Amino acid sequence: AWITNTNCEGLEFLFSLYKPDECNYYRNLFGVDFAHFCKCPDHEKESKATCRMCEDGIENPNFTYTSDTDAYTRTCQQAQDFAEAITRENICTRVMQEVIDKGCKCKDGKGPVFRNNNANKDAATA
């Protein structure tokens, strides 16, 4: 996937080596629910937190923001798809701001946005 520069198959193998409590530990450590991102069968996202690259949508979803030297090409829409699996505010803000800085544009100019729906906390940044 994203952080490990691999795909969901590689992540599935990696996490198959861990016990369930270890998977929870790494999900919390990395701040990303990789099982949710990879659309694993029968997996429900535990966190109610939401991360969005842009408050009101992406202006250029098909824009490729990666360079020729990156191992994988990624579009702004793929970044938003990944954002939905992020469960920690600091990870959301840092990673999505990096993507915005590389050329992804928010329709309203507001992003990244993180909401912790567990605590009714809106941590939107502009």
Side-chain angles (χ1 to χ4, degrees), residues 24-114:
N24 289 336
Y25 169 77
Y26 286 106
R27 180 184 63 234
N28 294 332
L29 177 70
F30 294 128
V32 177
D33 187 341
F34 288 109
H36 175 75
F37 177 65
C38 292
K39 311 287 188 237
C40 292
D42 301 323
H43 176 76
E44 284 189 41
K45 185 177 175 187
E46 290 181 20
S47 174
K48 301 298 181 210
T50 58
C51 174
R52 296 185 54 81
M53 179 170 43
C54 300
E55 178 73 28
D56 289 323
I58 306 163
E59 190 174 298
N60 55 344
N62 295 321
F63 174 75
T64 300
Y65 66 88
T66 50
S67 70
D68 293 339
T69 59
D70 290 317
Y72 298 94
T73 58
R74 296 195 178 98
T75 66
C76 298
Q77 183 59 55
Q78 288 173 312
Q80 174 51 48
D81 293 344
F82 179 72
E84 295 170 7
I86 297 175
T87 59
R88 286 189 15 213
E89 182 176 5
N90 64 326
I91 304 296
C92 173
T93 304
R94 180 178 53 79
V95 172
M96 291 301 110
Q97 188 60 55
E98 288 172 5
V99 173
I100 290 169
D101 291 345
K102 291 180 179 181
C104 293
K105 295 183 174 124
C106 297
K107 287 182 180 178
D108 59 3
K110 295 180 184 174
V113 178
F114 182 85

